Amino acid sequence: MISVVQLTKCYGAQTAVAGLSFEIPAGQIVGFLGPNGAGKSTTLKMLTGMIEPTSGSATISGFDLQRDLLEVKRHVGFVPESGAVFESLTGLEYLEMVAALYGIPPNAARARIKQFIAFFDLSFETLTDKLLGAYSKGMRRKVVITSALLHNPPVVFFDEPLDGLDANAAVGFKALIQMLAREGKTIVYSSHILDVVERVCHRVIIIDKGKLLLDGKPDELVAAHNSGTLERLFTNLTGGAELERRAEDFAKTFRP
Amino acid sequence: MNEIALPPILPEAVPSSEKVLRQLFLTLFLRGRSGRSLKIQTAPKSVGTKLTLSLFFYALLGCMALGFGHQPVFALAAYLHALTFAFLGMFVASSAGEVLFNKEEADILLHRPIRPKTMLWAKIRVLVEVSLWLALAFNLVGFFVGFHSAGWRFPIVHLFSTTLEALFCTGSVVLMYQLCLRWFGRERLDGLMTMAQVFVAIAAVLSGQILPRVLFRVGHVFSLSETSWWIGLLPPAWFAGLDDALAGDALFASWILAAIALIVTSLILWLAFGKLAQDYEIGLQSLNETVSTRVTKTGGRHRWLDKLVNVPPLRWWLRDPVSRASFLLVAAYLVRDRDVKLRIYPGLAPMLVVPFVFLLQGYGQHNSSIGGGFGIPFSGAYLGLVPLLGLQLLQYSQQWQAADVFRAAPMVGPAALCHGARRAVLCLLALPMMLLVGLIVWFLQGDAGQLLLLIPGLIALPIFALVPALRGRGVPLSVPTDAAKSAGRGLSMIPVLFFAFALAGAASFSWTHGGFWRFVLGEAVVAVILYVVLRAMINQARWPEAD
């Protein structure tokens, strides 16, 4: 469903993503991990057609990223980390606008939006009366997730989707993506909350400095590296363990 | 699942992407892009009121066309097109950045199945549409004046030429962006686009302000047949030529100007929306890229600012750490932030034009009460608007929510922040402009003694700079940019303008009739008292209630 071959992105002399290659079949949830600045968001933005790769290729649902860009965009949903929305639209106006961009007829869009409102326990008055700028972070995130799934895409990219969601909504969301994967959707899930990734994802891809470090099933990787948890494996690979040691010394500087 | 009743919708039809986007961008433009705490019931009303006020203000300005009732068509058209050009140029240049290249928008729209060209067209149509509203409001009286003096053809032709002018202004700004992209690459896009936009805005203001004054001044020439070849260098004259060719004297020169208007506008539209439209996508993508290769340059600028505040007298003046931090913040935004630069510099450009015109009127007339005698003190006093306008405009920022950090800090009020911002504006904007005016005066008058006439304005400068910070207002970068569209801001300058006239009149009178230094001393005493009182008021002010 997703095939990435030697995908590279350079900014001048700086390489953000360096020859990344992987394949993700339909129905799989893949945790896409890496420390800050590893190139995760750049990779997701390339795969959703938001920025152009410097070299390499990718196909999504059989469509080539460079030749069939609009088709790729029709077949993906994306929840960006920023959770950006047009703040001066109401939630309903925003979702209807997004639906129209995917060519969903207004009545069908309304019916679909109703389903999302019910699922996310969104208040109807809020959706129609309040501008998105006045929404809480969690409510805004729900709207962004809705806007990514409204057109029923076969491939969905989530970048820190749980950011701002309360515990109940997060549980509901995790159940939702697991069910979506069972329905055959391909899900790429980028997050720093590693215990969630460990529980939800079928497979993890860890990158650092734009390069692939590890790719495999979470339990198998943890066992192979004898690290106990995915979090420990991740910190060992990306230098987090050293930071943990330094934290102890640094905390001493706060003593009065 | 609960059954939810949503508002009814029209019969089934999927609107085109372009229509959806056009509606979206128009809504965003009218409501503004930040809607925190707003409700749908109140937002459109406040926007409607602001827009109506702006249109009313423009229509009011357009009443000056009544003075052209008995002039040739070219003079009326040149006046209308020159000011329309200035207003539209300013509007498009200051709005285009936010409309065309909005950073947040990339995350929302770039992964949707939309062609960049469709998005570009939708934005352009909105810009042109709103430009035309403003242009029509301003030209409203002109239509009637033209109808009365030149017949029924004038309103129709003028409507066409004004639409063409709106397309020319919008196309020029878009083209400027695209050429920056093509010539200088995406790494330097942001800075260059800002510079280009600022220059377009300043050029529009200068061109729009200078043409009518030139038409009035050079031997009181109002007819195209009597003007020189260089009139063809001023874009508003092209569109005025179109009016004159189709509804006026139809001289050969006006046909040439009309041809230039049509050819240049077509060329710009073809280049901006046809030939180079693909570059728009690259521009959008580059704004969406988080990695920058300009680390060294920014670092260099930062060091320059650090050095500046460590050199006396600034080091002594900025002893308070909060004021110093605020000074650095404002200075950094004046140098680096695209949004702030696009508001500040085009906004301040007319500040230079008006004194310049007054000085030109007195050119060669030493001690003339019209030019040198009044023009110089007026120029000095008029520059009091620079800190006033500068500080007002500096309140607005796309990152206004970041200003919450000021309220969270242990400060009883915003006084120290306002003092830092005020000092930054005085040092980086007002004093350089005063120096520039001083040089112009020296160059035009050829007498350094005349520079003394700038002293009354210099004395008033710190007082003007205190006004925006009264009542706990004037906190830098703390207000959403949408509020900057308010027409009320322009109206608040009028009392200051009257004050500048009064001060210049008094200074000019005392200069010619004796007692200039007594006047300066008296003004200085009043200024010191006012300064102490206003400063105390600012220092006592608490944080205004948060919206």
Side-chain angles (χ1 to χ4, degrees):
Chain A
M1 191 56 80
I2 301 177
S3 172
V4 177
V5 181
Q6 290 296 314
L7 199 65
T8 301
K9 180 68 188 177
C10 299
Y11 297 102
Q14 200 173 343
T15 305
V17 177
L20 213 54
S21 299
F22 55 82
E23 286 204 4
I24 304 174
Q28 200 170 63
I29 307 175
V30 175
F32 194 57
L33 312 178
N36 292 334
K40 298 188 303 292
S41 292
T42 305
T43 306
L44 295 191
K45 283 177 179 175
M46 282 194 282
L47 293 179
T48 50
M50 292 173 73
I51 56 176
E52 203 179 344
T54 308
S55 63
S57 63
T59 55
I60 289 171
S61 293
F63 295 104
D64 186 274
L65 191 60
Q66 269 143 343
R67 272 185 287 122
D68 314 305
L69 186 61
L70 280 191
E71 279 309 313
V72 167
K73 288 181 176 182
R74 275 190 195 105
H75 286 79
V76 302
F78 180 42
V79 175
E81 187 185 8
S82 67
V85 287
F86 291 119
E87 292 187 0
S88 53
L89 298 187
T90 65
L92 185 65
E93 284 174 335
Y94 179 74
L95 292 173
E96 286 188 340
M97 182 273 295
V98 170
L101 293 179
Y102 287 94
I104 304 172
N107 283 329
R110 280 282 169 98
R112 198 85 185 102
I113 290 166
K114 279 182 190 178
Q115 290 172 332
F116 277 98
I117 292 174
F119 174 73
F120 279 125
D121 279 333
L122 283 167
S123 142
F124 161 68
E125 285 77 17
T126 302
L127 203 73
T128 52
D129 296 352
K130 253 185 173 177
L131 301 183
L132 279 164
Y135 281 30
S136 71
K137 196 175 178 185
M139 281 162 58
R140 203 188 288 206
R141 181 61 70 173
K142 289 173 184 174
V143 170
V144 174
I145 293 171
T146 303
S147 76
L149 297 173
L150 209 53
H151 59 292
N152 197 13
V155 178
V156 193
F157 295 92
F158 292 105
D159 199 353
E160 292 293 355
L162 298 184
D163 187 21
L165 291 185
D166 61 34
N168 288 335
V171 167
F173 174 74
K174 282 180 273 183
L176 175 68
I177 59 168
Q178 283 172 323
M179 295 310 294
L180 289 176
R182 271 183 222 163
E183 296 292 322
K185 295 200 186 302
T186 306
I187 291 167
V188 178
Y189 186 102
S190 175
S191 176
H192 293 294
I193 309 168
L194 298 184
D195 51 342
V196 174
V197 172
E198 195 169 6
R199 273 184 281 124
V200 170
C201 298
H202 304 131
R203 175 182 158 197
V204 290
I205 292 174
I206 303 178
I207 64 167
D208 192 15
K209 298 185 179 81
K211 288 180 182 159
L212 187 73
L213 292 184
L214 278 181
D215 181 354
K217 290 183 178 173
D219 49 352
E220 287 177 6
L221 291 175
V222 168
H225 289 79
N226 199 22
S227 50
T229 62
L230 183 64
E231 190 175 72
R232 181 56 58 198
L233 170 65
F234 182 83
T235 52
N236 286 343
L237 279 171
T238 56
E242 168 59 23
L243 194 65
E244 209 174 352
R245 277 191 293 278
R246 288 206 317 255
E248 197 180 323
D249 292 334
F250 184 53
K252 288 175 189 164
T253 65
F254 289 88
R255 285 180 187 163
Chain B
M1 191 188 301
N2 297 328
E3 189 52 40
I4 294 163
L6 294 173
I9 50 171
L10 294 170
E12 198 78 340
V14 184
S16 68
S17 293
E18 195 191 337
K19 192 177 173 191
V20 173
L21 289 172
R22 209 170 60 241
Q23 278 175 350
L24 167 71
F25 295 130
L26 187 61
T27 309
L28 291 177
F29 184 85
L30 291 177
R31 287 189 197 165
R33 283 181 186 253
S34 59
R36 196 162 78 162
S37 307
L38 288 178
K39 282 201 161 191
I40 186 71
Q41 292 92 336
T42 53
K45 258 187 231 163
S46 62
V47 167
T49 312
K50 275 183 193 172
L51 189 70
T52 312
L53 251 175
S54 300
L55 292 178
F56 178 73
F57 184 63
Y58 276 96
L60 212 62
L61 278 174
C63 289
M64 286 165 78
L66 289 169
F68 287 79
H70 301 291
Q71 302 300 339
V73 167
F74 182 75
L76 169 67
Y79 164 77
L80 290 173
H81 279 297
L83 290 186
T84 305
F85 190 74
F87 292 141
L88 291 193
M90 281 278 290
F91 164 73
V92 174
S94 58
S95 307
E98 193 172 275
V99 174
L100 292 175
F101 293 95
N102 187 283
K103 277 189 180 178
E104 285 206 332
E105 188 180 281
D107 263 359
I108 306 170
L109 289 179
L110 270 190
H111 55 94
R112 315 280 181 199
I114 318 157
R115 289 179 200 285
K117 207 170 176 174
T118 312
M119 212 190 304
L120 178 65
W121 262 115
K123 290 178 176 186
I124 298 304
R125 284 189 64 167
V126 169
L127 274 178
V128 171
E129 197 175 316
V130 181
S131 303
L132 278 175
W133 294 347
L134 299 178
L136 291 180
F138 175 73
N139 284 273
L140 199 61
V141 174
F143 282 122
F144 287 108
V145 173
F147 176 74
H148 182 71
S149 61
W152 60 270
R153 271 186 304 174
F154 182 84
I156 298 167
V157 173
H158 188 62
L159 181 66
F160 171 67
S161 61
T162 306
T163 309
L164 211 61
E165 195 173 20
L167 286 168
F168 173 81
C169 287
T170 316
S172 302
V173 173
V174 176
L175 183 65
M176 194 72 90
Y177 269 129
Q178 287 159 338
L179 289 177
C180 283
L181 251 176
R182 181 158 283 213
W183 290 339
F184 303 106
R186 64 177 71 182
E187 275 79 26
R188 296 166 64 195
L189 173 70
D190 211 30
L192 280 163
M193 281 195 311
T194 311
M195 211 185 296
Q197 264 186 298
V198 169
F199 280 126
V200 167
I202 292 173
V205 171
L206 292 178
S207 180
Q209 294 275 325
I210 286 171
L211 178 64
R213 288 180 168 85
V214 163
L215 282 171
F216 270 117
R217 203 186 109 70
V218 183
H220 295 278
V221 174
F222 291 107
S223 167
L224 181 61
S225 58
E226 294 167 63
T227 57
S228 310
W229 60 270
W230 49 258
I231 202 96
L233 298 176
L234 298 167
W238 307 338
F239 301 100
L242 195 63
D243 287 358
D244 196 52
L246 297 174
D249 296 339
L251 297 172
F252 180 67
S254 53
W255 281 106
I256 290 184
L257 290 173
I260 295 173
L262 288 169
I263 292 167
V264 173
T265 307
S266 310
L267 190 69
I268 280 178
L269 292 179
W270 175 69
L271 283 171
F273 309 134
K275 187 93 176 138
L276 299 174
Q278 203 56 40
D279 290 355
Y280 179 66
E281 186 176 17
I282 300 169
L284 281 180
Q285 287 184 354
S286 69
L287 288 182
N288 194 37
E289 291 163 356
T290 47
V291 181
S292 171
T293 53
R294 301 180 59 212
V295 178
T296 319
K297 203 171 179 187
T298 308
R301 277 179 188 167
H302 191 65
R303 282 195 297 276
W304 171 77
L305 283 174
D306 271 345
K307 277 180 190 164
L308 183 75
V309 294
N310 281 316
V311 173
L314 267 185
R315 195 175 67 190
W316 305 324
W317 205 23
L318 297 169
R319 279 192 303 265
D320 177 52
V322 178
S323 293
R324 183 190 173 89
S326 174
F327 182 98
L328 280 170
L329 174 75
V330 167
Y333 267 71
L334 283 174
V335 177
R336 292 182 205 150
D337 188 73
R338 182 164 60 105
D339 173 55
V340 166
K341 285 197 278 187
L342 283 176
R343 233 187 321 279
I344 292 274
Y345 299 118
L348 292 179
M351 304 285 111
L352 268 184
V353 175
V354 175
F356 190 68
V357 167
F358 266 89
L359 289 170
L360 268 178
Q361 283 177 341
Y363 182 47
Q365 303 170 36
H366 291 255
N367 293 321
S368 153
S369 60
I370 302 165
F374 182 79
I376 298 170
F378 177 74
S379 303
Y382 191 78
L383 286 182
L385 285 173
V386 171
L388 193 73
L389 186 62
L391 285 164
Q392 278 195 358
L393 293 175
L394 268 167
Q395 290 178 83
Y396 307 110
S397 169
Q398 284 181 347
Q399 295 105 44
W400 60 280
Q401 283 161 315
D404 285 350
V405 74
F406 301 146
R407 284 174 180 269
M411 295 187 290
V412 289
L417 288 165
C418 295
H419 290 322
R422 177 172 57 88
R423 286 162 189 170
V425 167
L426 282 173
C427 288
L428 302 173
L429 296 177
L431 287 179
M433 282 180 95
M434 191 61 98
L435 279 174
L436 187 63
V437 168
L439 281 172
I440 294 170
V441 169
W442 192 22
F443 176 75
L444 291 179
Q445 300 289 325
D447 177 10
Q450 299 264 321
L451 289 174
L452 295 173
L453 280 164
L454 288 173
I455 291 175
L458 259 175
I459 293 171
L461 206 60
I463 312 296
F464 283 123
L466 286 171
V467 174
L470 290 171
R471 292 187 299 141
R473 304 279 166 190
V475 180
L477 315 172
S478 63
V479 181
T481 51
D482 314 317
K485 290 172 189 162
S486 165
R489 187 167 49 77
L491 294 173
S492 69
M493 297 291 149
I494 292 171
V496 182
L497 197 63
F498 280 119
F499 179 78
F501 266 108
L503 187 67
S508 175
F509 183 83
S510 65
W511 180 262
T512 46
H513 294 87
F516 177 73
W517 289 110
R518 274 201 303 276
F519 170 75
V520 168
L521 187 69
E523 191 204 352
V525 170
V526 173
V528 168
I529 295 166
L530 272 175
Y531 185 84
V532 171
V533 171
L534 292 178
R535 219 184 126 88
M537 285 167 70
I538 291 168
N539 287 341
Q540 283 166 8
R542 299 289 180 264
W543 290 104
E545 205 168 308
D547 294 329

